[in-house]
Amino acid sequence: MTYPEFDPDLWMEVGSSGGPDKNRVYRLSNTTAENLRAARSVSTVGSSQSVSSTQSKEFVALQQHTARLIEKYDHLSTEYAQLKTEHAQQKAEYAQQKADHEQLHEMVMNLASQSGDTCAPPPFWPCNNQPPPPPPAPPLC
């Protein structure tokens, strides 16, 4: 979002239009009006730039910095929303896996009770009813 550059001359023109509220602009204090008058008339020592020109450059720099921060905020908000969606999907998948595991466990226990076993079935080992060999030990240096 871009905003027009602050123009102290325009503010003073509006505030000095005459009438009973001369030099009064809504929400503009007398101190601010005096600062605006000083910014219009005072020049920087050793430079042709006025204070208002310097302030305008600072204002533009702040606008640019604000725009970068807003862009970064928007990017982070989008990323957060994506992560939140992914987390909800993972949570749902985990809940489904847990329900499937519980159902499978119940089926195994029912089969075991129907066969007359009171304890859990023996573990299944794919190779000759033997457990797999342990992994090799790391080499010693």
Side-chain angles (χ1 to χ4, degrees):
M1 179 178 284
T2 59
Y3 296 97
E5 188 172 322
F6 177 72
D7 185 353
D9 293 326
L10 183 60
W11 274 96
M12 289 310 298
E13 182 181 327
V14 170
S16 302
S17 61
D21 293 328
K22 183 177 179 184
N23 292 328
R24 302 286 292 192
V25 176
Y26 182 69
R27 292 194 176 261
L28 183 65
S29 69
N30 286 335
T31 305
T32 305
E34 291 301 321
N35 289 340
L36 288 174
R37 262 189 230 96
R40 273 185 11 182
S41 61
V42 175
S43 296
T44 312
V45 176
S47 171
S48 62
Q49 287 183 322
S50 69
V51 172
S52 63
S53 175
T54 302
Q55 289 173 344
S56 293
K57 287 179 183 178
E58 291 173 356
F59 183 73
V60 168
L62 285 173
Q63 278 184 316
Q64 291 169 346
H65 182 69
T66 301
R68 286 190 300 269
L69 289 175
I70 289 171
E71 185 178 321
K72 188 174 184 178
Y73 172 80
D74 290 343
H75 173 74
L76 290 173
S77 293
T78 302
E79 189 175 341
Y80 173 74
Q82 290 170 345
L83 289 172
K84 193 173 178 181
T85 300
E86 289 174 15
H87 179 259
Q89 290 171 347
Q90 289 174 349
K91 191 174 178 181
E93 288 172 8
Y94 173 76
Q96 183 61 46
Q97 289 173 352
K98 185 176 179 183
D100 291 346
H101 178 271
E102 289 172 357
Q103 184 181 12
L104 182 61
H105 182 265
E106 186 178 326
M107 288 171 54
V108 168
M109 295 308 287
N110 285 339
L111 285 173
S113 67
Q114 288 175 1
S115 67
D117 290 340
T118 55
C119 61
F124 171 73
W125 304 110
C127 301
N128 302 327
N129 240 0
Q130 296 295 319
L140 298 174
C141 296

